[in-house]
Amino acid sequence: WVLSRMKVDIDRWPVKEEKLILETWPQGFDRLFGIRDFEISDTGGGMLVTARTYWLVIDLNTRRPKDISKDLIEFNNPEKDSVTGKLSRLSDFSNVLFQGEEEVLPSDIDMNNHVTSVSYTRWIMDVFPEAELRNMTLRSYEINHVSEVFLGEKVHIEIGEEGTHLYSGRILHLQTGKVAFRAKMVFEEK
């Protein structure tokens, strides 16, 4: 299983040493994607985070997705649908505000030899000037993994503004210019 798409909506950020409850459940299939939803709440039932993830099973020999939907029992919880709607392919943008470059290090790689979502997210957030982030709070973060990036490879990161407090990001293979990762971020002023 590999993560293909994810959307996280943040109602409230936790405070230091706050006790939290994480719930997760399968939410069925969408074509080749297995769907899993998440909620993070406080001990009083107040919602902090809702999330939806789309997962693919990849054939390790061909590096292509496998359709396993007919091999698994259909699990879903229609009474618990934390993120409404389908996750779709994020669109491209043309106005680049911030940009940077990174090289994939051993600490960026997971057990499947993929760059981790944490590394992609760190690269995207590190391109923002600190002064920009200081006055904003992240409220929604959506990602699409598009193609694999490998150890030692160099990537180019670009951020564009789509509207007030709405930003799109992409990570490109430096050698080919092809997209490896897309992100959409919604912020609010502190």
Side-chain angles (χ1 to χ4, degrees), residues 127-167:
V127 169
F128 279 95
E130 193 273 331
E132 289 280 326
L133 290 177
R134 185 179 326 131
N135 299 317
M136 299 187 299
T137 300
L138 184 63
R139 290 297 177 205
S140 181
Y141 182 64
E142 187 170 356
I143 65 170
N144 290 172
H145 290 270
V146 179
S147 65
E148 294 178 288
V149 176
F150 299 101
L151 181 63
E153 189 173 346
K154 292 186 179 177
V155 294
H156 183 76
I157 303 110
E158 298 177 338
I159 304 292
E161 188 172 24
E162 300 288 322
T164 305
H165 306 302
L166 173 62
Y167 295 88

Side-chain angles (χ1 to χ4, degrees), residues 15-161:
V15 295
K16 185 177 179 181
E17 297 188 26
E18 181 177 16
K19 292 190 186 319
L20 302 173
I21 300 166
L22 169 66
E23 289 186 72
T24 183
W25 59 93
Q27 197 61 33
F29 290 95
D30 180 3
R31 298 184 328 265
L32 297 176
F33 299 103
I35 303 169
R36 178 164 283 278
D37 285 351
F38 298 83
E39 290 180 346
I40 300 174
S41 59
D42 60 28
T43 55
M47 195 59 58
L48 278 75
V49 174
T50 57
R52 171 160 283 173
T53 55
Y54 276 33
W55 297 83
L56 289 169
V57 171
I58 301 293
D59 182 307
L60 293 177
N61 295 319
T62 65
R63 309 300 274 187
R64 305 292 307 154
K66 290 176 67 173
D67 183 0
I68 63 158
S69 60
K70 60 188 168 292
D71 300 327
L72 297 176
I73 298 170
E74 179 75 18
F75 288 108
N76 62 30
N77 186 346
E79 295 174 14
K80 212 160 169 74
D81 195 14
S82 67
V83 179
T84 57
K86 290 183 171 187
L87 300 185
S88 58
R89 183 174 295 150
L90 295 175
S91 59
D92 208 1
F93 59 94
S94 57
N95 60 331
V96 176
L97 279 179
F98 313 118
Q99 54 189 320
E101 288 184 7
E102 291 286 342
E103 181 175 344
V104 180
L105 302 173
S107 60
D108 297 315
I109 300 294
D110 67 15
M111 62 190 242
N112 293 319
N113 292 320
H114 295 126
V115 172
T116 68
S117 297
V118 170
S119 293
Y120 284 123
T121 299
R122 185 183 72 249
W123 296 341
I124 291 278
M125 298 308 286
D126 285 350
V127 169
F128 279 95
E130 193 273 331
E132 289 280 326
L133 290 177
R134 185 179 326 131
N135 299 317
M136 299 187 299
T137 300
L138 184 63
R139 290 297 177 205
S140 181
Y141 182 64
E142 187 170 356
I143 65 170
N144 290 172
H145 290 270
V146 179
S147 65
E148 294 178 288
V149 176
F150 299 101
L151 181 63
E153 189 173 346
K154 292 186 179 177
V155 294
H156 183 76
I157 303 110
E158 298 177 338
I159 304 292
E161 188 172 24

